[in-house]
Amino acid sequence: MPPSGNRGEASGPALSRDFFARPAELVAPDLVGRLLTVDAGGADEVRAWIVETEAYLGMRDPASHAHRGPTPRSAIMFGPPGHLYVYFTYGMHHCANVVTDGTGTAGAVLLRAAMVESGAKVVRGRRRAPAATVIADNALLRGPGNLSRGLGLDLRDNGADLCGVAGRVVISSGRGRRPPIAVGPRIGIRRAVDSPLRFAWAGHPAVSRPRPGGVPRC
DNA sequence: CGTGCGATTATCT
DNA sequence: GATAATCGCACGC
C-alpha cells in the first residue's frame, strides 16, 4: 500500500518534448534518476525510478534497429521525439525505448531497469514467477524484458506520446540531486559492442548485471 | 565469480 | 530461412 497521499507534484513536472529532442547519448544519462509513471490515477498505477538506460544512435550506430534506414518497425525512431518505441524480440520479450533527436533523425534510449516506487503489487501480478518464489523489489523491473513486462508495456504502446495530456506513460523530472552515473559498454548486442553507451545509477541495487565499470562493490 | 544454452516469434533479407 | 537491444537456470572454477 502507498504509505500516504504522495501526489504527482512531488515528482516534479513531466519532461518536455525539448528534453527528448537531443542526441540519444545525452538523453540516456539524463533519464537516470527520473520518475516513470504508468496508468496514473488508475487502479494499476505504477511509479518507478529509472536506474539504467542505453543509447542507440540511429543511422550512425550499427547496433541500432534504425541503422539501415526506416522500416515498418524502425519508422517510429525517425519520427518526433518523446514517443515510445516498443519492440518484440527473442520470441517472448518486449523492450521499451524513448525516441530522441529531432524529427527525421533516428535515435532512441532503451529503458533497461527501474526501481519500483509504488505499485509493486501490480508489477508482481504481471511477472510470472515460479510458485512459492518471491521476487525482491530490487529485481521487479531489472532488465529491459522484465521492465516492459512489469509495467505492462507491449506493442500496443508502440508510438505512444510521452508528452501528451493524458498519456498512459509519463516521465517526470524528479526532485533533488542527480544520482551518480556509471558508464559502460552496452549489453547483449552483436555489433558496436565497445561503445560506452550504457548508463546506470552507480551503486543502485536495481541495476542489471554485469554492473557497468567503476561502481564500488557492495 | 564466470560461461553456456534453450525457449519462442516478429521482423528483416 | 536467419536473426535477435533477453531471461533464468545449469554448471565449472
Side-chain angles (χ1 to χ4, degrees):
Chain A
M1 310 291 120
S4 59
N6 215 0
R7 302 313 307 176
E9 297 174 11
S11 12
L15 297 178
S16 69
R17 201 169 307 283
D18 285 345
F19 178 94
F20 300 106
R22 297 179 287 153
E25 66 266 41
L26 296 183
V27 176
D30 209 358
L31 277 176
V32 173
R34 309 295 182 178
L35 190 71
L36 184 59
T37 302
V38 181
D39 294 320
D44 291 341
E45 177 180 291
V46 176
R47 298 191 301 152
W49 297 101
I50 297 171
V51 301
E52 180 184 350
T53 62
E54 279 177 0
Y56 287 86
L57 312 185
M59 297 198 68
R60 59 194 169 101
D61 178 7
S64 170
H65 291 163
H67 181 225
R68 308 217 170 192
T71 66
R73 180 175 68 170
S74 69
I76 182 69
M77 284 190 280
F78 290 84
H83 293 251
L84 283 183
Y85 165 50
V86 182
Y87 67 92
F88 183 76
T89 190
Y90 290 105
M92 62 191 86
H93 298 296
H94 293 276
C95 292
N97 300 251
V98 174
V99 175
T100 63
D101 294 76
T103 302
T105 301
V109 174
L110 173 66
L111 303 177
R112 283 197 56 90
M115 177 68 206
V116 164
E117 167 72 14
S118 67
K121 187 175 180 178
V122 175
V123 174
R124 284 207 170 78
R126 292 174 176 145
R127 294 288 311 270
R128 43 174 162 186
T133 299
V134 179
I135 304 175
D137 284 1
N138 286 337
L140 277 176
L141 300 174
R142 178 189 290 155
N146 290 332
L147 182 149
S148 297
R149 159 86 60 168
L151 296 179
L153 302 177
D154 58 30
L155 291 179
R156 291 171 300 185
D157 298 291
N158 189 34
D161 190 355
L162 297 172
C163 308
V165 203
R168 184 180 181 220
V169 182
V170 174
I171 300 177
S172 39
S173 68
R175 283 283 174 87
R177 246 192 339 279
R178 305 252 65 232
I181 305 294
V183 184
R186 294 175 292 184
I187 297 298
I189 55 175
R190 313 269 299 232
R191 306 199 266 188
V193 295
D194 291 330
S195 303
L197 293 173
R198 179 182 180 217
F199 305 94
W201 187 323
H204 199 291
V207 173
S208 71
R209 283 154 211 215
R211 301 280 178 76
V215 182
R217 294 179 12 124
C218 191

